[in-house]
Amino acid sequence: MEQKLTLKLDKGIVNRAKSYAKNHNSSVSQLVEEYFRFVTEKKANKSTTISASIKQISGILNDVKDIDYKKERLEYQLKKHSL
């Protein structure tokens, strides 16, 4: 079921959107619908794509403070590549 939607947008944006739609054999309505679909599906999928293993380890570093991550990485790299 389709529903009409009124938007207030900058005139320049509207003109560019119309030009873009025309050049891509589309309409501004189709562009807006595709954008809304993309944004809403992306946000909906964002929470469901986290694997169980990531959920399990999330938050384990919350108590860790004052770590110099660059220093730690450098030390790890030096240890890893030393002979």
Side-chain angles (χ1 to χ4, degrees), residues 42-79:
K42 181 179 174 184
K43 288 185 179 180
N45 290 336
K46 193 173 189 178
S47 62
T48 58
T49 57
I50 300 173
S51 69
S53 59
I54 297 300
K55 286 181 182 178
Q56 184 179 5
I57 65 168
S58 67
I60 62 173
L61 294 178
N62 288 345
D63 295 333
V64 178
K65 306 261 190 259
D66 301 324
I67 293 179
D68 184 349
Y69 295 102
K70 289 182 181 179
K71 178 183 172 190
E72 294 292 327
R73 184 167 187 250
L74 176 61
E75 289 175 2
Y76 169 79
Q77 293 292 331
L78 290 171
K79 182 179 176 182

Side-chain angles (χ1 to χ4, degrees), residues 21-56:
K22 183 179 179 182
N23 291 335
H24 289 85
N25 297 322
S26 187
S27 68
V28 174
S29 292
Q30 287 173 319
L31 295 176
V32 171
E33 182 176 349
E34 288 173 12
Y35 175 73
F36 285 171
R37 183 176 291 114
F38 171 77
V39 170
T40 57
E41 288 175 358
K42 181 179 174 184
K43 288 185 179 180
N45 290 336
K46 193 173 189 178
S47 62
T48 58
T49 57
I50 300 173
S51 69
S53 59
I54 297 300
K55 286 181 182 178
Q56 184 179 5

